[in-house]
Amino acid sequence: MKKITLLSFFFSLVFGNMLAQQEKGIIGYNNWLNPWTEFKPNKVEYGKPTQILSGNIKKDTKLYKRDVYLLLGDVFVTDSATLTIEPGTVIIGDFKTKGSLTISNGSKIIADGSHTDPIIFTSSRSVKKPGDWGGLFILGNAPTNKFGNESSLNYGLRPSDSKSISYGGDDPNSYSGILRYVRIEYAGKRTKDYGYFNALTLGAIGQHTIIENIMVSYCEGNSFNVLGGDLTLDKLVSYKSSGNDYEFNYGAQCWIINSLAVRSPYISGADVSRCMSVIAHDLKDEADFTKKQTLVEAENLTLINISNDLNNDIKVGLVNEAIFIGEDASFAIDKSVISGFNPAVVFENKIKVNSESLEKIRFTRTYFNNCKGNIFVEDFPNNEDLENWYGNRAFNNVYSKGPDSETFIDAKNSKRPDFRLRINRIIAANDAIDDDD
């Protein structure tokens, strides 16, 4: 009897551990958003600046937690210098001068916070709003798909040397430093001639650079903008930004894993914005097709649109697609969740629906929930071919409809939300939202 009891306990323990986390969407036995993220940054008092950062930083420099730093205007780390930032340090972007920080090609940033002591980039204003300051640029020496080895940022930055805003090279393994346990809040200033800044722009970053546990919240531009490069992104969060949550362009070779995008239909810019925009070029003539074109491989993503009345928000045009895929780009997503969009995915109308194109765009083991349609070609309402293709059992995708309260562990918690799927809550359905509603 004792042996049977111990054996039963052993199997229940093993089986319980196997089911301890849902395989789709963001994963973790614990909610890895805690405690380093902040979903109400406007309620946090970070203190007044005690030090100023301005102009060029040409030698190795360290920022300390005991001080609060003000980014005054466009600040550049140049001349192969390394900027080291202590865990818990606060850097404030000046509103009047629209402060920004650029780590130039050849220089490095070591911003290695911790889960209990993250590094904060935020606004200087007492009442903070999206677009209060510029953002953070990290430029490296990895390849892009543009002609020549170097490109330049085009955001109206004013460096003393044009090399400070150039990026690109031929080293896919280049190292630009560490960005880990960092929050970037209220960035994305608007410029008259160049549009919006992004919270974090990664230009030609190499594979040895570490980008992990980064939260961008309330950005007026894109949260994460990846321009070329060869990199891995792990445990990123984009929360209620106006632009795209993740944008990939210029031949980026990127693996993004265990990451989150939370959109709101009540926060959006003038342009159509999505969780993910995967494109190979702005203009086809600018792309060198002897080089690698954009390739994004995503695993365990959760892309969610939080709405008070999803059907109505879709009817009045407040909800867009979650993912846009452009011509000449390759994209694969696996074990992920796409919930509450109109529709889930849109292909650029230049993409032909044939075996060659569909081999470059893969959706596998992905959970489509509460979407007004799943995968479409832009401006083409009939998606029967795509539905038949991606609905094939070989891809193991799931289509469902269910409220956030039953789909996610605690998506509506305003302070400490948990966007992991509820275990065993995936229930197949024919359509997420009835077209006649």
Coordinates of all heavy atoms in Angstrom, one line a residue, residues 265-266 306-316 319:
P265 N -6.9 49.8 -28.1 CA -7.5 50.5 -29.2 C -7.7 52.0 -29.0 O -8.0 52.7 -29.9 CB -8.9 49.8 -29.3 CG -9.1 49.2 -28.0 CD -7.8 48.8 -27.4
Y266 N -7.5 52.4 -27.7 CA -7.8 53.8 -27.4 C -6.5 54.6 -27.4 O -6.5 55.8 -27.0 CB -8.5 53.9 -26.0 CG -9.5 52.8 -25.9 CD1 -9.4 51.8 -24.9 CD2 -10.6 52.8 -26.7 CE1 -10.4 50.8 -24.8 CE2 -11.6 51.8 -26.6 CZ -11.4 50.8 -25.7 OH -12.4 49.8 -25.6
I306 N -6.2 44.8 -25.7 CA -7.1 44.8 -24.5 C -8.2 45.9 -24.8 O -7.9 47.0 -24.9 CB -6.4 45.1 -23.2 CG1 -5.4 44.0 -22.9 CG2 -7.3 45.3 -22.1 CD1 -4.6 44.2 -21.6
S307 N -9.4 45.4 -24.9 CA -10.5 46.3 -25.3 C -11.7 46.1 -24.3 O -11.9 45.0 -23.7 CB -11.0 45.9 -26.7 OG -12.2 46.5 -27.0
N308 N -12.4 47.2 -24.0 CA -13.6 47.1 -23.2 C -14.8 46.6 -23.9 O -15.7 46.0 -23.4 CB -13.9 48.5 -22.7 CG -12.9 49.1 -21.8 OD1 -12.2 48.4 -21.1 ND2 -12.7 50.4 -21.8
D309 N -14.8 46.8 -25.3 CA -15.9 46.2 -26.1 C -15.3 46.0 -27.5 O -15.3 46.8 -28.4 CB -17.0 47.2 -26.2 CG -18.2 46.7 -27.0 OD1 -18.1 45.7 -27.7 OD2 -19.3 47.3 -26.8
L310 N -14.7 44.8 -27.7 CA -13.9 44.5 -28.9 C -14.8 44.6 -30.2 O -14.3 45.2 -31.1 CB -13.3 43.1 -28.8 CG -12.4 42.7 -29.9 CD1 -11.3 43.6 -30.1 CD2 -11.9 41.2 -29.7
N311 N -16.0 44.0 -30.2 CA -16.8 44.1 -31.4 C -17.1 45.6 -31.8 O -17.0 45.9 -33.0 CB -18.2 43.4 -31.1 CG -18.1 41.9 -31.2 OD1 -17.5 41.4 -32.1 ND2 -18.6 41.2 -30.2
N312 N -17.4 46.4 -30.8 CA -17.7 47.8 -31.2 C -16.4 48.5 -31.6 O -16.4 49.3 -32.6 CB -18.3 48.5 -30.0 CG -18.6 50.0 -30.3 OD1 -19.5 50.2 -31.1 ND2 -17.9 50.9 -29.7
D313 N -15.3 48.3 -30.9 CA -14.0 48.9 -31.3 C -13.6 48.5 -32.7 O -13.0 49.3 -33.4 CB -12.9 48.5 -30.3 CG -13.1 49.2 -28.9 OD1 -13.9 50.2 -28.9 OD2 -12.6 48.7 -27.9
I314 N -13.9 47.3 -33.1 CA -13.6 46.9 -34.5 C -14.5 47.6 -35.5 O -14.0 48.1 -36.5 CB -13.7 45.3 -34.6 CG1 -12.5 44.6 -33.9 CG2 -13.8 44.9 -36.1 CD1 -12.7 43.1 -33.9
K315 N -15.8 47.7 -35.1 CA -16.7 48.3 -36.0 C -16.4 49.8 -36.3 O -16.5 50.3 -37.4 CB -18.1 48.2 -35.4 CG -18.8 46.9 -35.6 CD -20.2 46.9 -35.0 CE -20.9 45.5 -35.2 NZ -22.2 45.5 -34.6
V316 N -15.9 50.5 -35.3 CA -15.6 51.9 -35.5 C -14.1 52.1 -35.9 O -13.7 53.3 -36.0 CB -15.8 52.7 -34.2 CG1 -17.3 52.6 -33.8 CG2 -15.0 52.2 -33.0
V319 N -9.3 49.0 -34.2 CA -8.5 47.8 -34.1 C -7.9 47.4 -35.4 O -8.6 47.3 -36.4 CB -9.3 46.6 -33.5 CG1 -8.4 45.4 -33.3 CG2 -9.9 47.0 -32.2

